Amino acid sequence: MSKPVRVRFAPSPTGPLHIGGVRTALFNYLFAKKHNGTFYLRIEDTDQNRFVPGAEEYIVEALNWCGIPFDEGINKNEKFGPYRQSERKGIYKQYAQTLIDSGNAYYAFDTPEALDEARKKEETEGKTFIYNHTTRQTLDNSLNLPEEETKKRIANGDPYVVRFKIPVGEKLFLNDMIRGDIEFDTSLLDDKVLYKSDGMPTYHLANIVDDHLMETSHVIRGEEWLPSLPLHVLLYHAFGWDAPAFAHLPLILKPVGNGKLSKRDGDKFGFPVFPLQWNEDGIR
């Protein structure tokens, strides 16, 4: 390895740790141990609406019970702390502004009602609405407003989000450690929301900023994140940072092989999908 191996497990505290998450943590842990690296735990709790009390404690206890202890994390060797994203809000605001200043992101003031109307209009024409280079010049955002008007609306407290400005007409030739070479066309991607006016980032911005600042060398995660790979690599490019290596693990499927394994499947077929018992009021 050209640089020290640093890998992470970054669950959201939205409930008990699923066996699929345990497997992801195990792959990261074993990869770190094989290369004399570091395995760290980061809690991705930016979505406060889905936060479940006791879930963070469950995650830590479950990892320890499974014999997958982390080297760094909350209250343990906090070299790059804090390790809760909710405690890093100021950091994300700074980097969202960096993307705006460089022209790689913009403010969008579209209301949910306006977006719904635009979506319905596209559907009546047999199209699928995408907020990207084909529509952004006709919507309510700072790309179409004078700079002073944008500043005035922000100062007035108008709700907004910060969207990433996806480059047009580029081919991304990326590599996955498991799947090999993959090609993406940026013209097919949408301008994802990175930051909200409530001061919280979305997963995409927080994930990239933290992986960079915490010196993550390899991102080993489930294949449900594969469609986000081009956006994440483009964000690294926009910041002028080197991207880590990526590996997307296959999902754990239902016993019948159709779809992702769920708690309901465990109940139906008589096996647990959580490492420790979980009740609504926490670990038991």
Side-chain angles (χ1 to χ4, degrees), residues 66-140:
C66 290
I68 315 174
F70 52 91
D71 301 309
E72 289 176 20
I74 298 165
N75 300 322
K76 186 176 183 180
N77 301 325
E78 295 197 25
K79 181 179 180 181
F80 293 102
Y83 288 83
R84 292 186 190 94
Q85 288 188 332
S86 60
E87 299 174 0
R88 301 170 63 84
K89 292 192 294 184
I91 297 174
Y92 308 126
K93 183 176 182 180
Q94 168 193 341
Y95 284 100
Q97 189 62 52
T98 296
L99 291 174
I100 292 170
D101 293 342
S102 65
N104 288 295
Y106 58 93
Y107 296 103
F109 301 95
D110 313 274
T111 64
E113 294 77 16
L115 290 176
D116 189 53
E117 183 178 339
R119 190 172 293 108
K120 289 178 179 177
K121 182 178 182 296
E122 291 287 292
E123 288 174 355
T124 59
E125 299 175 3
K127 303 176 183 177
T128 300
F129 174 76
I130 302 177
Y131 204 126
N132 67 358
H133 67 97
T134 64
T135 56
R136 60 192 177 207
Q137 298 297 340
T138 64
L139 295 167
D140 191 12

Side-chain angles (χ1 to χ4, degrees), residues 15-19 22 58 62 65-66 262-264 267 271-278:
L17 183 60
H18 187 275
I19 192 65
V22 173
Y58 178 96
W65 184 83
C66 290
S262 69
K263 179 182 183 298
R264 184 176 299 175
D267 294 339
F271 57 84
V273 296
F274 305 134
L276 299 174
Q277 186 175 351
W278 168 268

